C-alpha cells in the first residue's frame, strides 16, 4: 500500500497551474473558493498562534487574560517577555532534554538507514537463498503495532533471555541507555526503511551495476561508491520521516528511557510538565514551542523531501 | 583484482603482504573500535559528564559504529575460501537487518502472545483470563468503544476535509502552495505538543476562580454562557480529543489527495465541463472515482494511526475519570502503573489482531507487483 502512494508522488507534474482552463468555466466559484480556503486556513492556524503568542507573554498577563486580548493592544511592551524561554531552558531542564532528543534522534535515524540500505542492496542486486521469503517477512512486519514489542524488549533489556538454561541474550542493562533506545527505534523503523530503499535501489538501471561489475568493482565498492550516491533522494526522504518520528515519539522514549532528568527526551519533559504544572501556561507554551522548533525548521527548509518522506512512510507499526 | 601479469612468486608475495596488511588492519580496527566503544558507553552512563560531550560522542558512536561493523564484516568475508566467499557475502549485507528484525519484532510478537496467557508477572499460565478481562472490564470496554469511535470519526473527518480542501485549493490561481503548507504544518509537531496546544484552547476555570483564558470558553462566555469544563463532558470529551488528531492529520490526507487530483488528465475534466456537467458532478463522478485508490490508502493509514492513538489521551490525563480511555493507552497503564504484564500483553495482542488484515493485504499486493515485474 505504501508503494501506491510513492508511485503517485513519482508521477511527472502534470500542470503547475490551471491558468488556461480557469477561463473555460470555473470563474463562477472564485470567491466561494477563496473564502472557504481562507476560513479553513485561519481555523487551522489559531491553535498554533495561541501557543506562540502565550509563550511570549509574561506569567502574570497570560494568567489573567486570554491570549487573543493582546490583539487589542499589540505594542504594550510591558506584556511581552523572553523570560519564559529562559526559565524553560534553564530550570525547566529543556536545554538538556533538547540535547537528549538530539542524541536519541540522530543515531536512531542513521543506524536504520545504513542497515536497511545494505539489506536493500542485497535484496535488489545479489542472489541468495531465502531472498524472497526474507523480503516478504519485511513487508509483513511493516504494520506490526510497536505495542507488541514493548514488553519482551524491555525484559531483554532488564534481564536478558535464556532458553532452557542457555543464555541466548545477555543481560546488557540496556534499559535507560541511549544504545537501548537506538536499537529499539532501529528495529521499529527497519521494515519500512528496507522496503522503501529496496523499491528505490531495485529500480536503478541494471546496466550501471553490471558495467561496474565488469570493471572489477566488488559489491561493497558498488554499494558505497555508486548506489548510495544515486539513492540520495530516497535516503533523504526516509531520513526526514524517521528523524521526525523519533523526535516526536513519546511512547518508545517513555518505555525505554523513562523520565529521569539525565536521559529524558523533550517529549517526556513536556508531558511531565503537563502533569506537574498543567496550568502554568507561560512555561507550558514556551516549552511546547521549544519542542516544536526543530521539526518546524525541518518542515520549512526541507518541505519537498518532508512531504515525500511522510507520504512514503505513511504505514508504520 | 589487478590484471597485470607478474611472475608467480611475486604474485604470491603480493597476495601475502596484502592479506597480512588486511588482517592487521581489521584486527586493529576491531580492537580500537571495541575499546573506544566501551569507553564511550561508560562515558554515556556517567551522570556528571558534560552533556554536550555526551551527546556528541553518542552521535559519533551510533553513526560511525554501524558503518565500521559492515566494513569489518565485508573484510572478514574476503578471507573466506574463494568457493564460498561470494555465496556468503549477501548474508553479510542482509544479516544485520534480519538479526535486528528477529530480535526486535519477530521474537517480541511471539513472546507477547505467550505472555498474554500468563499472570501479572508473566510466570504462571492463566489461560484466557486476560482476554476475558479485556472484553468484560468496564474501563476496557469503554476503551474499546472509544477506540472504535476514533477509528471511524478521525479518518472520516480528516479525509473529507482534506479532500475538500485539496479540490478547492487546486482552483486557486495563486497561494495554493502556501495554503497547503499551513494546513500541513501540524503534521510536523509531536502529539504531545499538539495536546498542549489544545489544552490551552480547552482550558477551564470555574466562575469565581479568575478569567477563563481558554479560547473555547472565551467564545462560549462571549455568547453569554457559563464556562464549561470541556474535557470532562462525557462523552463529548472524546470528540474534543479527536479534534486534535484531525487537526494534525488532515494536512497529510490533503497533500496526498492533492497530488492524486493533479494527476487526473486535464482532458477528462475539460470534456466533462464542455458537456455541461456542474462542478459538483465533476467532483462526484470524475474526481472521486479517479483517485479512489489513493483515498483507500490514505484512509487505511489513518485508521491504523487512530487505532494506536496513545500520546494525546495519555498526556491529557485522568482518562479513567473522564471516560476517555483508548486501547493503546490502557496497555501502558496496565504495564507500567498497574504492573500487570499479562493484561498489557493481551491488550497489545488485540491491537495486533486488528492490523492483520492490512498485513495480509500488503503482502498480497507485494506478491502481485513482484509477479508483474
Amino acid at each position: 500500500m505504501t508503494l501506491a502512494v510513492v508511485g503517485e508522488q513519482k508521477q511527472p507534474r502534470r500542470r503547475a497551474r490551471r491558468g488556461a482552463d480557469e477561463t473555460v468555466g470555473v470563474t463562477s466559484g472564485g470567491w466561494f473558493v477563496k473564502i472557504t480556503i481562507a476560513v479553513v486556513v485561519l481555523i487551522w492556524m489559531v491553535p498554533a498562534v495561541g501557543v506562540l503568542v502565550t509563550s511570549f507573554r509574561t506569567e502574570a498577563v497570560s494568567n489573567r487574560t486570554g491570549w487573543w486580548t493582546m490583539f487589542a493592544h499589540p505594542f504594550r511592551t510591558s506584556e511581552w517577555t523572553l523570560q519564559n524561554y529562559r526559565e524553560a531552558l534553564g530550570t525547566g531542564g529543556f536545554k538538556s532534554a533538547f540535547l537528549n532528543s538530539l542524541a536519541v534522534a540522530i543515531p536512531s535515524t542513521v543506524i536504520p538507514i545504513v542497515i536497511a540500505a545494505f539489506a536493500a542492496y542485497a535484496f535488489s542486486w545479489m542472489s541468495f537463498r531465502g531472498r524472497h521469503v526474507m523480503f516478504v517477512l519485511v513487508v509483513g512486519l511493516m504494520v506490526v503495532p510497536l505495542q507488541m514489542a514493548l514488553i519482551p524488549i524491555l525484559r531483554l533489556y532488564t534481564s536478558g533471555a535464556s532458553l532452557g538454561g542457555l543464555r541466548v541474550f545477555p543481560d546488557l542493562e540496556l534499559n535507560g541507555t541511549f544504545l537501548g533506545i537506538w536499537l529499539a527505534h532501529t528495529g521499529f523503523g527497519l521494515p519500512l526503511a528496507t522496503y522503501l530503499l529496496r523499491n528505490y535501489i531495485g529500480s536503478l538501471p541494471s546496466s550501471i551495476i553490471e558495467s561496474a561489475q565488469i570493471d572489477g568493482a566488488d559489491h561493497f565498492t558498488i554499494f558505497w561508491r555508486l548506489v548510495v550516491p544515486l539513492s540520495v533522494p530516497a535516503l533523504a526522504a526516509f531520513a526526514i520521516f524517521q528523524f521526525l518520528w523519533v523526535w516526536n515519539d513519546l511512547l518508545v522514549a517513555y518505555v525505554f528511557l523513562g523520565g529521569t532528568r539525565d536521559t529524558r527526551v523533550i517529549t517526556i519533559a513536556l508531558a511531565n510538565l503537563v502533569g506537574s504544572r498543567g496550568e502554568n501556561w507561560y512555561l507550558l507554551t514556551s516549552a511546547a514551542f521549544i519542542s516544536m522548533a526543530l521539526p518546524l525548521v525541518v518542515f520549512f527548509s526541507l518541505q519537498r523531501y518532508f512531504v515525500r518522506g511522510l507520504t512514503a512512510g505513511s504505514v508504520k507499526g | 583484482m589487478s590484471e597485470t601479469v607478474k611472475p608467480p612468486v611475486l604474485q604470491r608475495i603480493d597476495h601475502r603482504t596484502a592479506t597480512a596488511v588486511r588482517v592487521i588492519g581489521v584486527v586493529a580496527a576491531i580492537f580500537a573500535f571495541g575499546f573506544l566503544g566501551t569507553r564511550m558507553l561508560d562515558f554515556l552512563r556517567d551522570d556528571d559528564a558534560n552533556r554536550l560531550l555526551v551527546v556528541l560522542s553518542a552521535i559519533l558512536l551510533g553513526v560511525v559504529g554501524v558503518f565500521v561493523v559492515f566494513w569489518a564484516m565485508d573484510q572478514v568475508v574476503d578471507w573466506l575460501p574463494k568457493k564460498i566467499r561470494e555465496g556468503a557475502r549477501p548474508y553479510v549485507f542482509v544479516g544485520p537487518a534480519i538479526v535486528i528484525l528477529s530480535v526486535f519484532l519477530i521474537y517480541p510478537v511471539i513472546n507477547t502472545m505467550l505472555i498474554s496467557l500468563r499472570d501479572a508477572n508473566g510466570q504462571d499460565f492463566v489461560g484466557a483470563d486476560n482476554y476475558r478481562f479485556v472484553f468484560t472490564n468496564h474501563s476496557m470496554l469503554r476503551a474499546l468503544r472509544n477506540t472504535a469511535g476514533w477509528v471511524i470519526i478521525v479518518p472520516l473527518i480528516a479525509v473529507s476535509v482534506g479532500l475538500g480542501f485539496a479540490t478547492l485549493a487546486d482552483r486557486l490561481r495563486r497561494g495554493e502552495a502556501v495554503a497547503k503548507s499551513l494546513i500541513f504544518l501540524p503534521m510536523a509537531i509531536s502529539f504531545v505538543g499538539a495536546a498542549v496546544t489544545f489544552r490551552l484552547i480547552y482550558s477551564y476555570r470555574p466562575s469565581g476562580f479568575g478569567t477563563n483564558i481558554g479560547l473555547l470558553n472565551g467564545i462560549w462566555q462571549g455568547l453569554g454562557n457559563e464556562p464549561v469544563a470541556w474535557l470532562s463532558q462525557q462523552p463529548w470529551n472524546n470528540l474534543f480529543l479527536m479534534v486534535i488528531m484531525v487537526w494534525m492529520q488532515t494536512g497529510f490526507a490533503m497533500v496526498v489527495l492533492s497530488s492524486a487530483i493533479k494527476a487526473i488528465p486535464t482532458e477528462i475534466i475539460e470534456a466533462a465541463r464542455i458537456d455541461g456537467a456542474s462542478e459538483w458532478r465533476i467532483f462526484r463522478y470524475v474526481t472521486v472515482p479517479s483517485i479512489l485508490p489513493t483515498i483507500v490508502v490514505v484512509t487505511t493509514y489513518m485508521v491504523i494511526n487512530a487505532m494506536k492513538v496513545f500520546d494525546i489521551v495519555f498526556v491529557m490525563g485522568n482518562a479513567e475519570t473522564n471516560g476517555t480511555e483508548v486501547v493503546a493507552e490502557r496497555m501502558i497503564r496496565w504495564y507500567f502503573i498497574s504492573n500487570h504484564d499479562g493484561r498489557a500483553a493481551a491488550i497489545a495482542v488485540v491491537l495486533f489482531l486488528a492490523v492483520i488484515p492490512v498485513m495480509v493485504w500488503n503482502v498480497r499486493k507485494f506478491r502481485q507487483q513482484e509477479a508483474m515485474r
Side-chain angles (χ1 to χ4, degrees), chain A residues 46-47 67-68, chain B residues 200-203 212-220 230:
Chain A
V46 164
W67 57 267
W68 58 91
Chain B
L200 181 59
I201 289 183
Y202 298 138
S203 163
N212 268 289
I213 57 161
L215 181 63
L216 203 53
N217 268 324
I219 295 171
W220 192 245
W230 302 102

Side-chain angles (χ1 to χ4, degrees), chain B residues 14-305:
Chain B
D14 261 11
H15 187 68
R16 274 190 193 155
T17 37
T19 314
V21 168
R22 214 182 268 160
V23 171
I24 294 166
V26 170
V27 171
I30 291 173
F31 270 97
F33 183 69
F35 178 73
L36 274 177
T38 45
R39 269 303 164 86
M40 276 188 179
L41 277 182
D42 286 343
F43 181 59
L44 291 181
R45 284 185 187 157
D46 184 359
D47 293 341
D48 303 325
N50 181 308
R51 189 122 298 265
L52 194 66
L53 264 178
V54 169
V55 167
L56 285 178
S57 45
I59 291 169
L60 198 73
L61 180 74
V63 171
V64 180
V66 237
F67 185 75
V68 171
V69 169
F70 273 103
W71 177 81
M73 286 197 308
D74 193 66
Q75 294 296 304
V76 170
V77 168
D78 283 346
W79 303 340
L80 292 174
K82 254 206 176 113
K83 254 189 190 165
I84 55 168
R85 196 184 291 165
E86 292 313 311
R89 203 182 300 276
Y91 295 103
V92 165
F93 277 52
V94 285
I98 298 301
V99 168
I100 288 189
L101 288 178
S102 311
V103 174
F104 286 87
L105 285 170
I106 300 171
Y107 158 76
V109 166
I110 299 165
N111 197 232
T112 302
M113 288 182 185
L114 295 178
I115 294 174
S116 75
L117 302 174
R118 292 169 184 276
D119 67 355
N121 306 318
Q123 298 300 323
D124 297 322
F125 185 77
V126 295
D129 272 9
N130 295 320
Y131 291 95
R132 211 165 292 136
F133 162 81
V134 169
F135 293 106
T136 51
N137 174 274
H138 264 305
S139 173
M140 272 314 300
L141 287 177
R142 253 200 324 257
L144 290 169
R145 180 204 69 186
N146 290 342
T147 302
W150 281 83
V151 162
I152 295 165
I153 294 171
V154 171
L156 193 70
I157 301 180
V159 173
S160 322
V161 175
L163 179 58
F165 193 89
T167 314
L168 292 182
D170 195 43
R171 303 273 175 76
L172 285 182
R173 237 176 251 266
R174 71 184 101 132
E176 182 185 350
V178 176
K180 276 162 65 177
S181 31
L182 287 177
I183 299 288
F184 193 62
L185 192 136
M187 191 84 197
I189 67 176
S190 61
F191 279 108
V192 187
V196 170
T197 307
F198 275 80
R199 266 177 74 99
L200 181 59
I201 289 183
Y202 298 138
S203 163
Y204 159 75
R205 284 168 184 166
S207 21
F209 287 84
T211 342
N212 268 289
I213 57 161
L215 181 63
L216 203 53
N217 268 324
I219 295 171
W220 192 245
Q221 282 183 300
L223 297 172
N225 300 299
E226 281 293 296
V228 174
W230 302 102
L231 292 177
S232 31
Q233 300 300 311
Q234 296 184 38
W236 305 109
N237 48 4
N238 281 300
L239 273 184
F240 296 137
L241 296 187
M242 290 176 202
V243 165
I244 304 174
M245 198 166 188
V246 169
W247 181 67
M248 293 184 73
Q249 307 231 305
T250 298
F252 172 76
M254 185 267 301
V255 164
V256 177
L257 294 173
S258 172
S259 70
I261 288 173
K262 289 195 190 304
I264 302 173
T266 332
E267 298 77 38
I268 301 182
I269 292 170
E270 268 172 14
R273 204 162 277 153
I274 290 166
D275 286 347
S278 69
E279 289 303 310
W280 169 251
R281 287 180 70 86
I282 293 177
F283 175 74
R284 173 71 187 75
Y285 293 105
V286 179
T287 311
V288 172
S290 328
I291 61 170
L292 200 60
T294 314
I295 296 180
V296 171
V297 170
V298 172
T299 312
T300 316
Y301 156 71
M302 299 242 164
V303 166
I304 294 181
N305 252 4

Side-chain angles (χ1 to χ4, degrees), chain A residues 30-44, chain B residues 164-172 174-176 178-180 183:
Chain A
W31 279 107
F32 168 73
V33 170
K34 277 180 197 156
I35 291 171
T36 318
I37 297 273
V39 169
V40 176
V41 168
L42 200 70
I43 294 173
W44 244 252
Chain B
F165 193 89
T167 314
L168 292 182
D170 195 43
R171 303 273 175 76
L172 285 182
R174 71 184 101 132
E176 182 185 350
V178 176
K180 276 162 65 177
I183 299 288

Side-chain angles (χ1 to χ4, degrees), chain A residues 1 3-5 8-9 11 14-15 17-18 21-22 26 33 36-37 40-41 44-47 50-51 54 62-66 68 96 99-100 103 106-107 110-111 115 118-119 121-122 126 128-129 132 134-138 140-141 143-145 147-149 151-157 172-173 177 182-184 187-188 190-191 198 202 220 224 248 250-251 254-255 262 267 270-271 274 278-279 281 288 292 295-296 299-300 303 306-307 310-311 314 316-317, chain B residues 45 47 51-52 55 58-59 62-63 66-67 70-71 74 90-91 93-94 97-98 100-101 103-106 108-109 111-112 115 121-122 165 168-171 173 179 181-185 187-190 192-193 196-201 203 205 211 213-215 218 246-247 250 252 255-256 259 261-264 266 269-270 273 294 297 300-301 308 310-311 314-315 328 331-332 335-336 341 344-345 348-349 352 355 359 361-363 365-367 369-370 373:
Chain A
M1 86 193 297
L3 191 75
V5 181
E8 244 103 50
Q9 289 294 306
Q11 266 165 12
R14 185 169 54 85
R15 60 201 142 94
R17 193 168 298 161
R18 271 220 166 129
D21 51 30
E22 199 101 36
V26 206
V33 170
T36 318
I37 297 273
V40 176
V41 168
W44 244 252
M45 291 299 294
V46 164
V51 168
T54 310
S62 66
N63 213 6
R64 214 173 44 229
T65 56
W68 58 91
S96 62
L99 289 174
N100 287 338
I106 294 176
V110 176
I111 298 172
I115 294 177
F118 272 101
Y121 176 84
M126 295 165 117
F128 55 96
R129 256 166 180 282
H132 190 71
M134 286 183 198
F135 198 71
V136 167
L137 198 71
V138 169
L141 288 175
V143 289
V144 171
Q147 277 83 0
M148 278 302 272
I151 303 174
I153 294 178
L154 195 56
R155 287 186 167 197
L156 282 186
Y157 280 3
L172 294 175
E173 291 180 23
T177 66
W182 296 340
L183 289 174
F188 303 146
L190 207 52
R198 187 259 187 194
F220 198 84
W224 192 243
N248 288 334
L250 176 74
L251 179 57
Y254 182 77
V255 174
D262 298 325
T267 45
L270 189 58
V274 175
E279 286 299 313
W281 288 108
M292 299 171 191
L296 289 181
F299 174 76
F300 280 117
Q303 210 176 52
F306 179 86
V307 172
L310 275 181
T311 47
S314 56
K316 188 177 164 188
Chain B
R45 284 185 187 157
D47 293 341
R51 189 122 298 265
L52 194 66
V55 167
I59 291 169
V63 171
V66 237
F67 185 75
F70 273 103
W71 177 81
D74 193 66
Y91 295 103
F93 277 52
V94 285
I98 298 301
I100 288 189
L101 288 178
V103 174
F104 286 87
L105 285 170
I106 300 171
V109 166
N111 197 232
T112 302
I115 294 174
N121 306 318
F165 193 89
L168 292 182
D170 195 43
R171 303 273 175 76
R173 237 176 251 266
S181 31
L182 287 177
I183 299 288
F184 193 62
L185 192 136
M187 191 84 197
I189 67 176
S190 61
V192 187
V196 170
T197 307
F198 275 80
R199 266 177 74 99
L200 181 59
I201 289 183
S203 163
R205 284 168 184 166
T211 342
I213 57 161
L215 181 63
V246 169
W247 181 67
T250 298
F252 172 76
V255 164
V256 177
S259 70
I261 288 173
K262 289 195 190 304
I264 302 173
T266 332
I269 292 170
E270 268 172 14
R273 204 162 277 153
T294 314
V297 170
T300 316
Y301 156 71
K308 294 186 304 188
F310 158 76
D311 315 33
F314 188 74
V315 172
M331 187 226 160
I332 293 298
Y335 184 35
F336 270 104
D341 290 18
V349 171
F352 178 62
V355 295
M359 209 161 139
W361 190 58
N362 266 354
V363 169
K365 201 158 174 199
F366 166 73
R367 284 244 163 94
Q369 278 157 1
E370 286 305 284
R373 262 175 119 107

Side-chain angles (χ1 to χ4, degrees), chain A residues 158-176:
Chain A
T158 48
S159 52
S162 35
L163 200 71
L166 181 75
R167 210 131 190 73
V168 282
F169 193 91
D171 175 8
L172 294 175
E173 291 180 23
L174 283 173
N175 192 29

